């Protein structure tokens, strides 16, 4: 049993719905008696709009409310509780210092409509962040507008379309390798492009010949996820870029996983024309649960005329928003991007500096390779070569005992770990995609490895234990399809689950 396992057996409470709590007349406030004459509500609002009570409205005290929501928050699992090795998602620890900076009153209370003259600090921060990200990527300009990675992809493909359109023909197709992220074909299709798949080679990377085969003058560009969803660095990008540029196409890089090579290599130097960054992954801003992220798009000079408005420009020693870009693709979101998120990314970059960023990437890569080497042979490795920030196993060995990826993932919860990404990427049957990130210590990685080894042993010796997992969490195995399609929000655990 690992240190983590202990944590799953703490003092957890079952919690009824808030509607099932309280008692008639109980309130959560105390107000002084009114010292002005009371007015009957029906003197202010027509009677037909008034009702005597709100059916089922919970009548609870302050402590009822606080305990209700605090207890439910303890049912949750997050990066502040433990390792969260969700491949492709980069669930790394977010330094609290970022939060401190985001709460500085001058930033936190800035209003999007306040005049430029009193927004100079905020504009300077955006301008400087653009310079940092451009330098990190080897690109000329950066739009900070997009709200997330997929939104950045969409914006990037819009730039490519605008570029081709300005030359008289938007073209028809986008090439997308089978190891790309699933959002890539979606972004291309939303932009009106037909998606042409490119099969990756036996080493898990795209081969230049495969691109040359399908590249022609109808192709607007290629979208390469690098590192790809196998956690493998696309080592032929330079040659691929030459082939695509040779026929007038553009090279898009999905840079969501820049954390694998930030500070080490620059996409701009590899021939990439446009790339999105997921600051909520690489630059440690909180994410998950659908909260705001940011997906800045970095681009080469020839795409700059098409950038979304507004851009932030420095004029003399003043900073200003520029809406005057006649060829712009327009606005891609309200105001100036997810400012609070960008501010956290700025803080992270300034805190780590160039050597710190590079070190973060190195440690992320070492951590993933450490896990890969320790579990190799125990779990099947479909592409047996050094990985970048994540490694991909599958369930081929465990399937001899009829234990599948889903069972392994569920059993990990009993050991106190959030499961890794499963059944993705699609090109690996029964994939287990593990991304430890650089913020986990060797001790935590060893606990995770021990848990994975224990599960492999259980699969051989006691398959039912794994197939029926999880056993420790308050909720056991669910019908996942039904849970997603017909969620029963009124369900609650039976008392017997109480530890
Ligand atoms: C996470 C990820 C995305 C999507 O990013 P969102 O911010 O969730 O929209 C796209 N591509 C890759 C490679 C990713 O890892």
């Amino acid at each position: 049993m690992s240190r983590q396992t202990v944590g799953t057996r703490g003092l957890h409470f079952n919690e009824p719905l808030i509607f099932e709590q309280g008692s008639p007349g109980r309130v959560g406030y105390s107000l002084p008696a009114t010292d002005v004459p009371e007015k009957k509500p029906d003197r202010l609002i027509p009677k037909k709009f008034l009702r005597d009570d709100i059916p089922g409205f919970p009548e609870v005290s302050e402590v009822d409310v606080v305990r209700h929501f605090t207890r439910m928050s303890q049912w949750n699992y997050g990066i502040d509780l433990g390792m969260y090795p969700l491949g492709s998602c980069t669930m790394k620890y977010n330094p609290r210092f970022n939060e401190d900076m985001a709460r500085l009153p001058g930033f936190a209370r800035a209003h999007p409509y306040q005049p430029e003259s009193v927004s100079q600090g905020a504009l300077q921060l955006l301008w400087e962040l653009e310079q940092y990200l451009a330098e990190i990527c080897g690109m000329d300009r950066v739009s900070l507008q997009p709200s997330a990675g997929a939104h950045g992809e969409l914006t990037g493909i819009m730039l490519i379309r605008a570029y081709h359109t300005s030359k008289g023909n938007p073209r028809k197709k986008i090439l997308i390798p089978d190891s790309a992220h699933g959002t890539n074909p979606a972004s291309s299709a939303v932009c009106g492009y037909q998606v042409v798949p490119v099969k990756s080679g036996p080493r898990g990377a795209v081969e230049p010949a495969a691109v040359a085969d399908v590249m022609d003058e109808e192709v607007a560009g290629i979208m390469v996820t690098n590192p790809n969803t196998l956690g493998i660095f696309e080592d032929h990008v330079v040659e691929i870029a030459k082939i695509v540029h040779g026929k007038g196409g553009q090279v898009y890089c999905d840079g969501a996983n820049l954390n694998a090579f930030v500070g080490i290599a620059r996409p701009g130097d590899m021939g990439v024309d446009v790339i999105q960054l997921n600051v909520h992954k690489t630059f440690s801003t909180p994410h998950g649960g659908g909260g705001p992220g940011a997906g800045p798009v970095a681009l080469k000079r020839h795409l700059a005329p098409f950038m979304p408005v507004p851009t932030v420009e420095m004029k003399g020693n003043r900073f200003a928003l520029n809406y005057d870009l006649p060829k712009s693709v327009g606005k891609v979101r309200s105001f100036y991007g997810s400012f609070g998120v960008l501010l956290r990314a700025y803080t992270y970059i300034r805190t780590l500096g160039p050597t710190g960023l590079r070190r973060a990437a190195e440690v992320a890569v070492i951590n993933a390779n450490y896990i890969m080497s320790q579990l190799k042979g125990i779990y099947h490795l479909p592409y047996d070569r050094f990985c970048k920030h994540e490694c991909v196993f599958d369930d081929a060995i465990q399937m001899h005992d009829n234990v599948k990826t889903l069972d392994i993932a569920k059993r990990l919860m009993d050991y106190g770990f959030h499961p890794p990404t499963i059944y993705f990427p699609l090109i690996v049957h029964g994939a287990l995609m593990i991304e430890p990130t650089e913020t986990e210590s060797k001790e935590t990685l060893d606990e995770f490895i021990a848990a994975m080894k224990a599960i492999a042993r259980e699969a051989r010796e006691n398959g039912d234990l794994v197939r029926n997992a999880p056993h420790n969490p308050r909720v056991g195995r669910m019908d996942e399809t039904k849970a997603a399609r017909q969620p029963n929000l009124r369900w609650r655990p039976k008392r017997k689950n109480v530890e």
Side-chain angles (χ1 to χ4, degrees):
M1 289 284 123
S2 73
R3 179 178 52 147
Q4 305 255 348
T5 319
V6 179
T8 63
R9 291 174 163 273
L11 183 60
H12 279 187
F13 297 91
N14 278 336
E15 183 65 11
L17 299 174
I18 191 88
F19 302 100
E20 295 166 353
Q21 299 189 39
S23 111
R26 185 179 294 169
V27 292
Y29 61 85
S30 56
L31 293 175
T34 173
D35 56 0
V36 292
E38 217 172 302
K39 270 217 167 101
K40 287 262 180 306
D42 51 19
R43 303 278 306 268
L44 302 166
I45 299 169
K47 212 170 165 114
K48 64 176 178 180
F49 294 128
L50 289 172
R51 55 182 172 184
D52 296 326
D53 62 357
I54 308 169
F57 191 73
E59 295 183 77
V60 286
S61 66
E62 182 175 319
V63 64
D64 291 336
V65 173
V66 168
R67 285 192 181 150
H68 178 69
F69 289 104
T70 307
R71 284 174 183 172
M72 285 202 299
S73 76
Q74 291 177 335
W75 296 2
N76 215 339
Y77 189 90
I79 192 63
D80 292 345
L81 276 173
M83 184 174 166
Y84 206 134
L86 203 60
S88 199
C89 295
T90 315
M91 305 303 286
K92 64 175 163 186
Y93 175 73
N94 306 303
R96 288 299 178 274
F97 188 61
N98 298 352
E99 299 303 316
D100 269 8
M101 294 304 104
R103 280 163 181 71
L104 288 175
F107 289 131
R109 295 194 193 144
H111 192 281
Y113 283 136
Q114 80 193 26
E116 268 172 28
S117 57
V118 291
S119 309
Q120 285 297 305
L123 291 174
Q124 180 176 352
L125 182 135
L126 293 174
W127 188 85
E128 285 182 9
L129 179 61
E130 176 178 347
Q131 313 310 306
Y132 294 149
L133 295 178
E135 168 67 22
I136 286 168
C137 294
M139 303 298 251
D140 299 313
R141 290 295 312 253
V142 181
S143 170
L144 301 173
Q145 295 275 319
S147 304
H151 192 200
E153 290 171 34
L154 178 68
T155 306
I157 299 297
M158 284 164 71
L159 292 176
I160 290 179
R161 196 177 177 94
Y163 168 78
H164 285 302
T165 305
S166 78
K167 293 182 165 284
N169 177 7
R171 302 194 171 193
K172 292 204 174 82
K173 302 185 279 192
I174 299 271
L175 309 182
I176 301 189
D178 56 5
S179 56
H181 197 265
T183 46
N184 292 189
S187 302
S188 305
V190 170
C191 266
Y193 283 116
Q194 185 192 327
V195 173
V196 179
V198 182
K199 254 182 98 60
S200 40
R203 294 171 63 254
V206 188
E207 305 286 338
V211 177
D213 275 353
V214 282
M215 186 65 210
D216 60 29
E217 258 127 50
E218 296 225 296
V219 173
I222 188 168
M223 278 187 105
V224 187
T225 301
N226 204 11
N228 65 29
T229 56
L230 295 166
I232 289 173
F233 190 75
E234 293 287 356
D235 39 11
H236 300 295
V237 176
V238 175
E239 288 155 272
I240 291 169
K242 277 198 190 116
I243 294 166
V244 173
H245 287 151
K247 303 260 183 200
Q250 294 286 289
V251 179
Y252 185 95
C253 179
D254 181 335
N257 301 314
L258 191 78
N259 52 315
F261 62 89
V262 58
I264 298 171
R266 305 196 313 166
D269 301 337
M270 302 174 203
V272 169
D273 299 295
V274 51
I275 179 174
Q276 110 277 354
L277 310 174
N278 287 33
V279 305
H280 43 294
K281 294 178 179 171
T282 307
F283 300 107
S284 87
T285 67
H287 68 132
V297 170
L299 43 113
K300 288 274 172 67
R301 191 161 287 113
H302 63 278
L303 296 174
F306 312 105
M307 284 171 78
V309 285
T311 57
V312 184
E313 308 293 345
M314 184 163 67
K315 291 185 178 149
N317 57 359
R318 311 284 298 165
F319 297 91
L321 293 166
N322 178 26
Y323 288 87
D324 185 21
L325 255 98
K327 293 188 191 163
S328 164
V329 295
K331 275 194 81 62
V332 294
R333 65 155 284 161
S334 55
F335 301 119
Y336 326 111
S338 305
F339 181 74
V341 173
L342 296 167
L343 163 49
R344 288 169 176 84
Y346 175 91
T347 306
Y348 182 73
I349 292 170
R350 288 293 301 260
T351 317
L352 265 68
T355 42
L357 287 176
R358 183 188 175 103
R359 184 90 188 116
E362 287 168 350
V363 177
V365 171
I366 288 170
N367 280 0
N369 279 283
Y370 179 62
I371 289 181
M372 188 176 81
S373 67
Q374 294 296 304
L375 294 179
K376 187 171 146 177
I378 297 166
Y379 289 89
H380 177 246
L381 198 56
Y383 294 89
D384 188 358
R385 53 180 289 196
F386 282 122
C387 62
K388 283 282 165 286
H389 61 301
E390 61 197 0
C391 54
V392 180
F393 290 98
D394 65 35
D395 56 5
I397 298 176
Q398 286 66 38
M399 275 307 280
H400 293 309
D401 296 302
N402 212 16
V403 167
K404 57 183 188 298
T405 288
L406 182 68
D407 307 324
I408 298 162
K410 294 291 184 192
R411 184 64 179 145
L412 258 178
M413 293 163 73
D414 288 334
Y415 285 88
F417 289 98
H418 192 285
T421 296
I422 55 173
Y423 299 108
F424 181 82
L426 300 175
I427 52 173
V428 173
H429 188 266
L432 275 153
M433 187 197 214
I434 301 165
E435 179 177 7
T437 82
E438 74 280 8
T439 58
E440 298 305 329
S441 66
K442 169 132 186 324
E443 292 76 19
T444 304
L445 298 185
D446 283 337
E447 283 171 2
F448 176 79
I449 290 161
M452 287 293 284
K453 285 183 174 170
I455 295 169
R457 204 176 319 118
E458 290 167 353
R460 285 195 308 275
E461 295 167 1
N462 187 1
D464 277 341
L465 183 69
V466 187
R467 277 186 290 274
N468 295 324
H471 305 281
N472 287 350
R474 53 195 311 115
V475 180
R477 188 77 68 105
M478 283 196 276
D479 177 335
E480 309 227 327
T481 316
K482 201 165 173 210
R485 301 234 162 139
Q486 299 165 354
N488 178 1
L489 302 178
R490 294 209 160 254
W491 178 89
R492 63 194 173 96
K494 304 236 159 45
R495 286 239 25 118
K496 72 176 172 57
N497 279 0
V498 178
E499 297 277 0

